[in-house]
Amino acid sequence: MANVAKKVSWSGRDRDDDERAGETTPLLNGSGPGAAGSGRQLTPSSFLRIGQLSNVDLNEDIHELETEVPRQRPNEIPHNEKLLSLKYESLDYDNSENQLFLEEERRINHAAFRTVEIKRWVICAMIGILTGLVACFIDIVVENLAGLKYRVVKDNIDKFTAKGGLSFSLLLWATLNASVVMVGSLIVAFIEPVAAGSGIPQIKCYLNGVKIPHVVRLKTLVIKVCGVILSVVGGLAVGKEGPMIHSGSVIAAGISQGRSTSLKRDFKIFEYFRRDTEKRDFVSAGAAAGVSAAFGAPVGGVLFSLEEGASFWNQFLTWRIFFASMISTFTLNSVLSVYHGNAWDLSSPGLINFGRFDSEKMGYTIQEIPIFIFMGVVGGILGALFNALNYWLTMFRIRYIHRPCLQVVEAMLVAAVTATVGFVMIYCSRDCQPIQGSSVAYPLQLFCADGEYNSMATAFFNTPEKSVVNLFHDPPGSYNPMTLGMFTLMYFFLACWTYGLTVSAGVFIPSLLIGAAWGRLFGISLSYLTKGSIWADPGKYALMGAAAQLGGIVRMTLSLTVIMMEATGNVTYGFPIMLVLMTAKIVGDYFVEGLYDMHIQLQSVPFLHWEAPVTSHSLTAREVMSTPVTCLRRIERVGTVVDILSDTSSNHNGFPVVESNPDTTQAGWVAGLRGLILRSQLIVLLKHKVFVERANLSLVQRRLKLKDFRDAYPRFPPIQSIHVSQDERECMIDLSEFMNPSPYTVPQEASLPRVFKLFRALGLRHLVVVDNRNEVVGMVTRKDLARYRLGKEGLEELSLAQT
């Protein structure tokens, strides 16, 4: 069985390192190597091993893993896309309604509930303010550093154009780019690898219920912000908008908990929200605030969080998320307006402003509808090609460029090549345009006459955001068709090569820039064909091309339509943009998946989509569940609990609590299900020594509160750090007060789609499978469901990789 090396992971951390630091919880129940009983057997009196009805045979793969002889890391890491990694844990989105929880909820009166609700609004406002401020910081620093770099290079080029020796200018440009990107790549590769990329796939997984290590930590935010600044300044084909979604999510996760483990500070506020369910809702608000700050699109931010991010949604959440988005864009607008010297203008709602499109000059007619549909088809095909090329490139990186030092070298190489390509194309271009009335920030004259500048330089010798705006709004005749064609071709491959590097960067702006370039070229061609007809305005087609290209790559529809409308300040183009995006998505989906889904799949994440595979009705819970199950008795010996939690061959996270009752229908006893208790809860009980001597079960135990569990959240200590003496091992522990007495269960005859719907809709981590006597026969976890997907040859079952 193919076994992906540990370095392939988003977090970039070896599992052993995380466990030593107590950062991750062990594998899910039934998913680890001990799930099929391969670990050592404890005494029958310790706990029950029940349920033998699974015909999902994982033993063969498990024994392969166990008997493999350790060897040196190969030059090529074997990788198979049909894998599911066991190293990703699930989050506990389902509240444990034990006695402690119910007692606390009953004590809270109406006024206290109102206070909690006000706190939620306060947190959302703080999320919006801080996300807006982070976006301001990124924008201001990028503008100043990039401006400094372009001025230095421009002065150097102007100097050597006159006296010869432009090779020195090329060397300077490439060296500056490579040096800046090297720093950005070093901090990501060696300090926090999960900060690489845009972060959108990781946040999608988190909101789906998958625990990605380090994804919402303060250190990740710092590296993300510094990394994206250096990536953009380093001239890579990237944008700073995508990472804002990840940044907003980290801010939301930190504020909602009222403490920071990185800073080792606990501010003792917002303790009520220290559980996965509440944290998830605030992270959804943070993602929306990030989109709003990036594009100045608060409604688009809410729709992005709904369509692309959140896997769970409720009506009350919508208004709070919209509030966070509005505060985010208002904060950014206010600060940038003051920074640009027009404090009362509020003309900078987002990191990128597409500028106003005049509806009177740039309207559209019914004859253009087929043209827009055709552009959508082109965008879908080009998007599918982009994703397919990036897929094979990512596979190559997984196999060969898995060491951090190699990743840094690759990032430097891409930066140097990007500068070289830009310089060569500017050098070879003879497309000269008059400089008067131009909005070009750093015009390069090169070999053009006085009063003119090189048109190719407006595309390459600028930040991608400004290049997009130029392509949208420069007047007709500003670009030579050959210039646009060459730029589109080269930038397409550069952007494809760049996405997936070990740097913090987004794909939104490069996609828009590619689409705007070929869209404007399309508009110019159409103008030639129609003898300069007024409706063949190249700026309008640049907008449609940008939408088509981005839609073909990321496959967003509703949210992207609204984002484009809000960013352009024009509702007139709502219908054509929607038409273009729908066409691009349909055409692109015919060939390959969207870019984010593809990268989630390449990382072998057990991601659960909205629905089960359509052809999975023939499978039942009995066939997909993990078995046998490790169960605990209601009153259990402490030594037994410690042995179970310490048994590395099982690594379960959820334990059904059973109690033997006489069976009236048949002779014997039945171990009926009484509840479910989590590993994290047992850890807290052992840490606080909530147990009594065997002979005095009537003694009052130490009274725990929910606060004790919240103080340990989210990184519960490992069992190895808890000392239990030999005498304490003989004590008893009563789980009645702490277990969830009403866990969700499903009969073993239930179909896979029914199990999937129940598991997915409720955000479960464990679903107990019982027989007609309420006896536990198995457990369904995330990996059991994610193993099944619809492939090209029908329903297929993925292999499990111990990575």
Side-chain angles (χ1 to χ4, degrees):
M1 184 172 103
N3 186 11
V4 189
K6 295 173 183 175
K7 284 291 180 185
V8 176
S9 70
W10 273 324
S11 65
R13 303 283 186 229
D14 288 347
R15 181 175 176 78
D16 297 337
D17 295 340
D18 277 336
E19 287 181 347
R20 280 196 296 272
E23 296 290 331
T24 60
T25 49
L27 299 180
L28 280 171
N29 183 23
S31 300
S38 58
R40 62 181 179 83
Q41 293 288 331
L42 300 176
T43 58
S45 62
S46 300
F47 60 94
L48 306 175
R49 291 276 191 180
I50 54 181
Q52 305 288 339
L53 296 175
S54 173
N55 58 1
V56 179
D57 185 13
L58 303 178
N59 290 333
E60 197 175 317
D61 289 336
I62 290 164
H63 291 315
E64 257 183 53
L65 287 169
E66 289 177 343
T67 56
E68 259 188 352
V69 179
R71 59 182 182 272
Q72 296 293 322
R73 185 191 295 272
N75 291 328
E76 177 181 346
I77 298 180
H79 182 78
N80 182 351
E81 63 169 331
K82 296 181 179 179
L83 284 178
L84 204 62
S85 176
L86 291 180
K87 79 185 181 71
Y88 292 111
E89 289 306 314
S90 291
L91 296 161
D92 291 302
Y93 282 168
D94 181 40
N95 289 327
S96 178
E97 292 193 346
N98 53 23
Q99 289 183 30
L100 295 180
F101 178 82
L102 293 176
E103 286 172 10
E104 182 186 81
E105 292 295 309
R106 288 167 187 152
R107 284 196 303 268
I108 299 178
N109 55 26
H110 180 69
F113 273 119
R114 292 290 298 272
T115 304
V116 169
E117 190 63 20
I118 290 171
K119 285 182 178 178
R120 288 194 176 99
W121 285 90
V122 170
I123 291 172
C124 286
M126 293 171 68
I127 291 169
I129 291 169
L130 286 179
T131 304
L133 291 175
V134 167
C136 289
F137 175 77
I138 291 174
D139 191 56
I140 292 170
V141 175
V142 165
E143 182 180 332
N144 284 281
L145 290 182
L148 177 64
K149 185 192 81 169
Y150 287 128
R151 281 194 297 273
V152 169
V153 176
K154 179 182 183 305
D155 292 344
N156 191 274
I157 290 176
D158 290 343
K159 183 175 79 171
F160 282 107
T161 301
K163 63 179 186 178
L166 277 172
S167 55
F168 291 104
S169 301
L170 168 61
L171 189 61
L172 174 67
W173 192 1
T175 304
L176 281 175
N177 275 16
S179 302
V180 173
V181 169
M182 179 186 71
V183 178
S185 184
L186 278 171
I187 60 175
V188 171
F190 288 96
I191 299 178
E192 198 53 270
V194 79
S198 66
I200 295 175
Q202 292 93 318
I203 295 302
K204 277 188 70 170
C205 292
Y206 182 89
L207 294 174
N208 189 256
V210 181
K211 182 179 180 181
I212 307 294
H214 308 269
V215 73
V216 287
R217 294 184 64 179
L218 177 63
K219 186 167 71 171
T220 304
L221 174 64
V222 173
I223 300 301
K224 194 86 180 180
V225 170
C226 297
V228 74
I229 289 171
L230 294 167
S231 300
V232 176
V233 172
L236 292 175
V238 299
K240 56 182 183 285
E241 282 68 22
M244 278 309 305
I245 296 162
H246 190 182
S247 301
S249 301
V250 179
I251 290 168
I255 289 179
S256 63
Q257 304 305 292
R259 67 178 175 190
S260 169
T261 51
S262 299
L263 298 177
K264 296 181 173 57
R265 294 290 302 275
D266 190 344
F267 300 100
K268 303 296 181 185
I269 56 173
F270 307 140
E271 287 184 348
Y272 182 80
F273 305 119
R274 289 179 185 174
R275 57 178 185 264
D276 286 336
T277 315
E278 295 283 355
K279 193 173 178 180
R280 172 196 71 201
D281 291 346
F282 289 119
V283 169
S284 299
V291 174
S292 180
F295 296 99
V299 179
V302 176
L303 293 175
F304 173 86
S305 191
L306 171 62
E307 178 189 16
E308 196 69 14
S311 294
F312 305 93
W313 197 266
N314 63 66
Q315 195 172 5
F316 296 107
L317 193 60
T318 309
W319 191 238
R320 287 200 302 270
I321 288 183
F322 182 59
F323 176 66
S325 297
M326 287 296 298
I327 294 292
S328 174
T329 189
F330 178 76
T331 302
L332 177 80
N333 207 340
S334 303
V335 175
L336 287 185
S337 296
V338 171
Y339 174 74
H340 292 306
N342 43 1
W344 306 105
D345 192 14
L346 297 182
S347 57
S348 303
L351 290 181
I352 181 170
N353 186 359
F354 292 155
R356 297 283 171 181
F357 282 83
D358 192 342
S359 301
E360 294 180 5
K361 294 181 181 177
M362 295 176 60
Y364 67 94
T365 61
I366 191 91
Q367 297 98 319
E368 292 178 89
I369 299 297
I371 297 174
F372 295 147
I373 294 174
F374 176 74
M375 292 185 75
V377 172
V378 174
I381 294 172
L382 289 178
L385 177 62
F386 184 98
N387 292 357
L389 291 174
N390 190 260
Y391 172 85
W392 292 112
L393 184 60
T394 305
M395 290 286 287
F396 178 84
R397 285 180 174 133
I398 288 172
R399 289 183 171 128
Y400 299 107
I401 314 178
H402 48 270
R403 299 180 189 278
C405 53
L406 293 177
Q407 293 168 345
V408 174
V409 170
E410 187 198 12
M412 293 174 63
L413 175 64
V414 174
V417 169
T418 303
T420 304
V421 168
F423 185 88
V424 170
M425 291 188 68
I426 293 170
Y427 182 84
C428 296
S429 173
R430 293 295 181 267
D431 183 10
C432 297
Q433 301 291 338
I435 202 168
Q436 193 151 10
S438 171
S439 59
V440 182
Y442 307 102
L444 280 181
Q445 183 179 359
L446 215 59
F447 302 116
C448 294
D450 291 340
E452 293 184 336
Y453 70 97
N454 190 302
S455 180
M456 182 67 84
T458 60
F460 270 111
F461 203 67
N462 218 334
T463 57
E465 289 85 356
K466 290 178 181 175
S467 299
V468 170
V469 176
N470 289 339
L471 286 169
F472 284 167
H473 294 289
D474 280 354
S478 300
Y479 296 90
N480 186 292
M482 183 62 71
T483 300
L484 287 174
M486 289 300 298
F487 172 78
T488 302
L489 183 66
M490 298 308 299
Y491 206 81
F492 181 90
F493 289 108
L494 285 174
C496 186
W497 189 11
T498 304
Y499 189 79
L501 289 177
T502 312
V503 294
S504 298
V507 76
F508 273 75
I509 298 302
S511 304
L512 290 172
L513 183 52
I514 295 166
W518 68 254
R520 191 175 180 97
L521 177 62
F522 186 85
I524 292 171
S525 305
L526 205 60
S527 181
Y528 285 156
L529 292 174
T530 57
K531 303 287 192 273
S533 176
I534 190 168
W535 52 263
D537 188 283
K540 172 174 56 179
Y541 290 99
L543 176 65
M544 296 304 156
Q549 186 66 52
L550 183 54
I553 290 173
V554 300
R555 310 292 159 77
M556 290 159 51
T557 50
L558 176 63
S559 56
L560 192 53
T561 301
V562 176
I563 287 170
M564 296 293 283
M565 285 166 53
E566 288 185 280
T568 56
N570 195 320
V571 186
T572 308
Y573 293 132
F575 178 69
I577 289 174
M578 183 179 69
L579 205 60
V580 162
L581 288 172
M582 284 297 297
T583 309
K585 176 176 171 56
I586 292 170
V587 173
D589 284 341
Y590 179 79
F591 296 104
V592 292
E593 290 181 300
L595 189 64
Y596 300 142
D597 292 329
M598 185 181 295
H599 277 263
I600 288 172
Q601 181 181 313
L602 278 170
Q603 298 298 332
S604 305
V605 179
F607 187 89
L608 295 181
H609 294 279
W610 288 103
E611 298 288 343
V614 290
T615 58
S616 59
H617 279 87
S618 58
L619 293 171
T620 63
R622 178 191 301 159
E623 295 169 288
V624 302
M625 68 186 183
S626 296
T627 186
V629 183
T630 303
C631 295
L632 295 170
R633 294 176 298 184
R634 190 174 58 82
I635 299 177
E636 190 59 271
R637 195 172 68 90
V638 172
T640 300
V641 175
V642 172
D643 290 339
I644 291 172
L645 297 182
S646 304
D647 186 4
T648 56
S649 65
S650 60
N651 288 329
H652 301 321
N653 270 323
F655 304 92
V657 180
V658 298
E659 195 167 50
S660 298
N661 295 322
D663 187 0
T664 56
T665 59
Q666 303 177 20
W669 293 73
V670 175
L673 178 67
R674 289 293 175 267
L676 181 76
I677 193 161
L678 301 176
R679 171 182 287 266
S680 57
Q681 294 172 316
L682 292 172
I683 291 281
V684 174
L685 296 182
L686 292 175
K687 179 182 177 183
H688 290 276
K689 302 191 182 302
V690 186
F691 34 78
V692 296
E693 295 176 14
R694 180 188 293 272
N696 298 307
L697 289 179
S698 60
L699 290 177
V700 178
Q701 303 182 54
R702 181 183 182 279
R703 183 72 174 169
L704 279 189
K705 296 181 179 179
L706 276 183
K707 183 180 184 303
D708 295 305
F709 294 90
R710 288 169 180 159
D711 285 343
Y713 175 85
R715 284 180 265 283
F716 297 94
I719 184 63
Q720 292 80 7
S721 67
I722 297 174
H723 175 70
V724 178
S725 67
Q726 195 60 40
D727 290 338
E728 289 172 334
R729 287 179 61 88
E730 299 304 319
C731 293
M732 305 299 289
I733 184 168
D734 189 352
L735 305 178
S736 305
E737 191 178 8
F738 312 103
M739 70 181 186
N740 182 2
S742 55
Y744 290 102
T745 61
V746 69
Q748 57 188 352
E749 292 82 16
S751 67
L752 174 59
R754 192 169 186 82
V755 173
F756 189 98
K757 187 175 294 185
L758 181 65
F759 194 97
R760 175 69 170 72
L762 298 173
L764 302 181
R765 187 177 186 180
H766 305 96
L767 181 59
V768 184
V769 182
V770 296
D771 60 11
N772 54 5
R773 297 182 298 175
N774 199 37
E775 186 175 358
V776 180
V777 294
M779 183 87 83
V780 175
T781 62
R782 171 176 292 273
K783 278 115 180 158
D784 298 321
L785 296 176
R787 286 210 318 270
Y788 297 93
R789 78 172 186 207
L790 195 62
K792 293 182 179 179
E793 299 176 1
L795 192 67
E796 58 187 19
E797 182 181 350
L798 307 186
S799 304
L800 294 170
Q802 184 74 26
T803 61

